[in-house]
Amino acid sequence: LVAVIPILWLGIGSTAPAAIANLIAAVKGGGDDTNRVDRVCRHEAAHFLCGYMCGLPIANYATTEENVPRVEFHYSAEGPATASRELSEDEVNALTVVAMSGSVAEAMEFGKAGGVNSDLMELQNIFRQSAKFLGAEKQQDLTRWGALTAYRLLNTNKQKLDDLADAFSKQKSIAECVGILEQ
């Protein structure tokens, strides 16, 4: 029975890495929440900036119960993705950058990323909807590429990211946030 545990661990880890990450996070316990709102604002501002730069239309922009804006994008200019519609290679690429951008922005500012689990789960859903089969190695390569591309976009637009994170903390409108990116 004990011999099966490593096999189960590998099986779950290869098919649903976020499940393993959540388990490890639960075992490690909570972290420092003193700057949680700042983290979430920076995380969401990075999604907003990279989504905008990748040309994705905004699907939803709402304030959570924590009084922090959250942004969601349509998968393409065609509108919302449905379970029956497969994503093109370009859509997968753009969404990979957007999915990784929040965690990358957190790591750039705070040294570690706290919101990575939900981003990786979203990324897994994106990969599943790809019209082209993406094996484990291709998914890893795309994840790395998405993180690197997000880093380049965020680093190149650091001042806009800072201004956007500030705008998110002040719950500015979509128009005001887009205005920051258009400057």
Side-chain angles (χ1 to χ4, degrees):
L1 181 64
V2 174
V4 175
I5 293 173
I7 294 169
L8 287 173
W9 186 264
L10 287 173
I12 293 170
S14 65
T15 58
I20 298 295
N22 287 334
L23 179 62
I24 291 169
V27 170
K28 285 173 54 177
D32 177 24
D33 280 350
T34 56
N35 56 0
R36 173 147 171 69
V37 172
D38 291 341
R39 279 182 174 278
V40 174
C41 284
R42 179 156 301 270
H43 185 104
E44 293 299 319
H47 286 314
F48 194 99
L49 187 146
C50 286
Y52 184 83
M53 297 290 185
C54 289
L56 298 175
I58 296 168
N60 188 28
Y61 177 82
T63 303
T64 67
E65 61 278 354
E66 301 166 330
N67 285 332
V68 177
R70 299 255 184 201
V71 64
E72 296 174 12
F73 292 93
H74 288 297
Y75 284 6
S76 73
E78 296 174 19
T82 61
S84 62
R85 188 171 85 75
E86 294 179 330
L87 300 173
S88 70
E89 186 174 349
D90 287 341
E91 291 169 330
V92 170
N93 289 343
L95 290 164
T96 299
V97 172
V98 174
M100 295 308 298
S101 64
S103 301
V104 169
E106 280 190 61
M108 287 170 63
E109 184 70 16
F110 303 106
K112 66 178 185 174
V116 70
N117 293 338
S118 60
D119 291 344
L120 289 175
M121 286 189 280
E122 179 62 24
L123 190 57
Q124 192 64 39
N125 291 335
I126 292 164
F127 291 157
R128 282 190 194 113
Q129 285 189 269
S130 174
K132 182 178 171 186
F133 173 75
L134 301 174
E137 187 175 331
K138 179 67 174 171
Q139 287 181 20
Q140 285 181 345
D141 290 345
L142 266 173
T143 303
R144 289 182 189 116
W145 173 83
L148 176 63
T149 304
Y151 172 79
R152 288 179 175 164
L153 279 172
L154 296 170
N155 200 39
T156 301
N157 296 286
K158 176 94 171 75
Q159 187 58 53
K160 288 181 180 182
L161 176 61
D162 292 343
D163 293 346
L164 199 53
D166 184 55
F168 270 49
S169 71
K170 294 175 181 169
Q171 300 179 9
K172 301 255 177 144
S173 69
I174 292 175
E176 291 170 302
C177 292
V178 169
I180 289 169
L181 297 176
E182 289 292 329
Q183 294 176 358

